[in-house]
Amino acid sequence: LFSAVMHLCTALIRWIPLAIFGFITLFVVDMKKGIDIERLALYLLTVVLANLVQAFIILPLFLKWRGVSPFKLFKAMFPALTMAFF
C-alpha cells in the first residue's frame, strides 16, 4: 500500500508544473478579458475563511479529541509556521 501511494504521489508531483502552468495561463486570459474584482474578492474571502475555520476550530477540536494540547502544539509549530509564511 505504501509503495502504491508513493507511486501515485510521484506521478502527481510530476504533473504539478503543468497544472500550475494551466492555472497561470487561465488567470492571464481572464486578466486580459477584464477581471471581476467582486468575484475574485469573494473567492479570496472564502479561501481565507475556510483556512481560518480549519486552523482555529477543526484542528484544535481534533487535537483535543486525540489528547494533544493545541496550545503546546501551536507553540512548538510557531517558528516553522512563521518561516513558511514569510
Side-chain angles (χ1 to χ4, degrees):
L1 180 63
F2 176 76
S3 179
V5 170
M6 289 304 293
H7 183 68
L8 287 172
C9 289
T10 302
L12 180 67
I13 287 171
R14 287 185 182 157
W15 284 99
I16 286 177
L18 183 62
I20 291 173
F21 176 75
F23 284 128
I24 291 172
T25 302
L26 290 174
F27 182 73
V28 169
V29 168
D30 286 343
M31 290 294 288
K32 285 184 178 182
K33 289 180 183 176
I35 192 163
D36 185 7
I37 292 293
E38 291 173 359
R39 284 183 50 199
L40 184 61
L42 181 61
Y43 174 74
L44 180 63
L45 179 67
T46 303
V47 170
V48 169
L49 286 177
N51 284 325
L52 289 174
V53 165
Q54 182 176 350
F56 294 111
I57 297 174
I58 304 299
L59 183 59
L61 288 174
F62 178 73
L63 291 172
K64 279 289 195 188
W65 179 61
R66 300 290 294 169
V68 178
S69 170
F71 294 112
K72 285 183 181 179
L73 183 69
F74 288 141
K75 186 177 179 182
M77 288 179 7
F78 187 73
L81 289 174
T82 55
M83 178 62 79
F85 181 72
F86 290 111

